[in-house]
Amino acid sequence: MSSGHNGRVDETLGTALRRWRDRLSPTDVGRTSRPGRRAVGLRREELADLAGVSVDYLVRLEQGRATSPSPQVLASLARALQLRPMERDHAYRLAGLLPPQEGTISAHVPAGVQRMLARLGEFPVGVFSADWTLLSWTPAWAVLLGDPSARTHAERNLVRAVFATGPSGLAAWPVQPEGDALNPALVADLRTALVDYPRDRGLTALVAELRSTSAEFARLWDEGAVGPHVSARKTVVHPQVGEVTCDCDVLTVPGCDVRLVVYTVAAGSADAEKLEFLRVTNGVNADGSSPPGPGLLSVP
């Protein structure tokens, strides 16, 4: 904090970020705390990695040399720091931004969900917002489907990935679903979201975009397609280990409008061996290179 006139103490975004960073431990975010570690809380490098920002930018934010983060950056920092809704809103105000308004989709992931993800690191799990934008993921998700951290906010939207007419960045290689229940369920979700979040301009724009660019989306939308999410089997065609067939389940979190997409494989199966190999090697080839970049097909 910095001292103001007459002994008043003023809080800045930088001081708040440092305080919130200091109260988290590596184990809170699924990292290993090594013996002899001297740092209190998360290191800047760890928070920057979790939030998808550069260490230099985080340093400038904490030192007050960068004072105007975008709403997207602030939302990522709030998720990485596991802020409660009131704390998240406080961070927005410190940055001179309006907190997310009622009637708009929240990118907030409750701390309890994040702690659960930290303990589910061996499973590929992705957390999605009400408009099906990927918010958080486990390391196993990144090695199975490709690391989403380099993707833009728009490229992380599942509905856009499913109905896009061009290349999508949500998955880096083909994912082949069984059955045809997913597409109507996604359209039904967006229709419900429009009712729940009537002021969300991004959601309105997404629906308009897909109606104009995807004949299938437009048809399902005009037909009033409805359908619940059901368990499904999907085959990931991974460039290192070949086909990995997984069960895919969508779980909802009571009290908040986020969904967890969870991939699992049968214990002791060949698919389990492939997934464990990817998890242990962190998706790196034997020669130290990474798998090929983004491909055309992407339906996680």
Side-chain angles (χ1 to χ4, degrees), residues 95-164:
L97 297 171
L98 285 175
Q101 301 297 300
E102 185 177 352
T104 60
I105 292 174
S106 173
H108 179 68
V109 179
V113 174
Q114 296 199 54
R115 287 191 290 269
M116 180 175 63
L117 286 179
R119 289 159 177 76
L120 290 176
E122 65 181 274
F123 296 105
V125 184
V127 181
F128 290 81
S129 59
D131 65 351
W132 283 99
T133 297
L134 181 62
L135 302 175
S136 301
W137 55 88
T138 59
W141 175 284
V143 296
L144 178 65
L145 299 166
D147 188 359
S149 59
R151 310 298 179 221
T152 66
H153 182 80
E155 289 172 336
R156 292 182 193 174
N157 184 269
L158 174 62
V159 189
R160 183 178 282 113
V162 168
F163 292 100

Side-chain angles (χ1 to χ4, degrees), residues 12-155:
T12 65
L13 178 61
T15 58
L17 291 176
R18 289 195 299 272
R19 183 178 70 251
W20 290 325
R21 178 166 60 84
D22 286 345
R23 77 181 183 186
L24 283 178
S25 71
T27 55
D28 289 331
V29 296
R31 303 295 175 94
T32 301
S33 183
R34 297 179 178 178
R37 177 187 174 104
R38 295 183 179 180
V40 177
L42 291 182
R43 294 189 175 97
R44 286 193 179 104
E45 294 80 4
E46 293 167 331
L47 175 58
D49 182 50
L50 289 167
V53 300
S54 71
V55 177
D56 176 68
Y57 184 65
L58 180 59
V59 169
R60 288 189 285 123
L61 276 176
E62 290 193 352
Q63 293 179 347
R65 294 186 289 119
T67 57
S68 302
S70 69
Q72 290 81 11
V73 166
L74 210 51
S76 294
L77 285 169
R79 286 195 298 272
L81 290 166
Q82 301 183 8
L83 301 187
R84 295 184 289 272
M86 290 183 64
E87 294 172 328
R88 176 206 60 194
D89 292 352
H90 182 56
Y92 272 76
R93 294 187 182 97
L94 289 174
L97 297 171
L98 285 175
Q101 301 297 300
E102 185 177 352
T104 60
I105 292 174
S106 173
H108 179 68
V109 179
V113 174
Q114 296 199 54
R115 287 191 290 269
M116 180 175 63
L117 286 179
R119 289 159 177 76
L120 290 176
E122 65 181 274
F123 296 105
V125 184
V127 181
F128 290 81
S129 59
D131 65 351
W132 283 99
T133 297
L134 181 62
L135 302 175
S136 301
W137 55 88
T138 59
W141 175 284
V143 296
L144 178 65
L145 299 166
D147 188 359
S149 59
R151 310 298 179 221
T152 66
H153 182 80
E155 289 172 336

